[in-house]
């Protein structure tokens, strides 16, 4: 489950007993060696779909972590890319990956890094594309309208908010049981320990997400990612949510 270079059990326990921000500060140096990082296959498929739709001007990676989504944006944005996260530790690792000038050895636009809460973004309507990977489990359902409204506010007319969604596991499957167990442990932890650590894998319901996006003014569509195939009922295993201003 974990790379040999990943965190030890004791480090994970310390992280889990911290706040979300402090926990990710601690995890940041080893984050890319954990299963919490978005798989390369999802990142590559997203980049491929965006290349077919692009190019775009400026891009924002929301809750960028160590910058994997920024690497996607640099393939499809021409004018500039920004990563935003509230963890100073994650941003430090991200900066190290691109170098002190914000320009990595690979071709692509310059990159900037901003420390901020996604629920209070310090930008005007400056972006043509916003992406996010694996971040929504850190927000409670009641926070989604405000979060999505913030994204809407930083996009130019015609801009897009894009993120991958994996089809939920079927009840009774091993993955369903694992995710249910993880969420149950985290909820129990938050009952008995402060500060809370919000990280729930089953908190984002597909119908609720679409309703909240529409409610703040987005037009919502879906792009199947054919690299991951389809389920028995014909629905995609993985799709991109594409919310347009």
């Amino acid at each position: 489950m974990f790379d040999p270079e990943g965190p030890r059990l004791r480090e994970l326990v310390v992280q889990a007993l911290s706040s979300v921000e402090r926990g990710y500060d601690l995890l940041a140096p080893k984050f890319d060696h954990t299963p919490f990082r978005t798989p390369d296959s999802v990142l590559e498929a997203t980049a491929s779909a965006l290349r077919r739709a692009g190019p775009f001007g400026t891009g924002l990676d929301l809750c960028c972590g160590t910058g994997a989504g920024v690497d996607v944006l640099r393939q499809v944005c021409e004018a500039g890319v920004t990563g935003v996260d509230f963890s100073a530790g994650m941003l430090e690792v991200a900066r190290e990956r691109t170098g002190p000038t914000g320009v990595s050895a690979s071709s692509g636009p310059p990159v900037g890094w901003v420390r901020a809460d996604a629920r209070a973004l310090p930008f005007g309507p400056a972006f043509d594309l916003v992406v996010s990977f694996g971040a929504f489990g850190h927000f409670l359902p009641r926070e989604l309208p405000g979060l999505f409204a913030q994204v809407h506010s930083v996009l130019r007319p015609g801009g897009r908010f894009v993120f991958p969604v994996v089809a939920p596991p079927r009840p009774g499957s091993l993955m369903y049981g694992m995710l249910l167990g993880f969420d149950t442990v985290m909820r129990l932890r938050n009952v008995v320990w402060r500060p809370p650590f919000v990280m729930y894998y089953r908190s984002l319901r597909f119908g609720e997400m679409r309703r909240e996006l529409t409610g703040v003014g987005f037009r919502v569509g879906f792009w199947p990612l054919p690299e991951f195939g389809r389920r028995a009922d014909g629905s995609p295993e993985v799709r991109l949510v594409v919310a347009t201003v």
Side-chain angles (χ1 to χ4, degrees), residues 74-95:
R74 296 193 78 223
Q75 299 178 52
V76 300
C77 293
E78 298 178 332
V81 173
T82 301
V84 62
D85 202 283
F86 77 159
S87 166
M90 299 292 266
L91 288 173
E92 181 179 356
V93 173
R95 287 190 186 97

Side-chain angles (χ1 to χ4, degrees), residues 16-30:
L17 295 178
S18 307
S19 66
V20 179
E21 181 179 348
R22 177 59 177 159
Y24 274 98
D25 285 348
L26 294 170
L27 183 62
K30 299 183 178 181

Side-chain angles (χ1 to χ4, degrees), residues 1-13 15 26-37:
M1 183 176 182
F2 283 89
D3 187 282
E5 297 182 47
R8 305 302 183 193
L9 177 60
R10 181 182 180 280
E11 293 174 298
L12 289 173
V13 171
Q15 179 211 2
L26 294 170
L27 183 62
K30 299 183 178 181
F31 179 78
D32 287 342
H33 301 286
T34 74
F36 306 125
R37 181 186 184 275

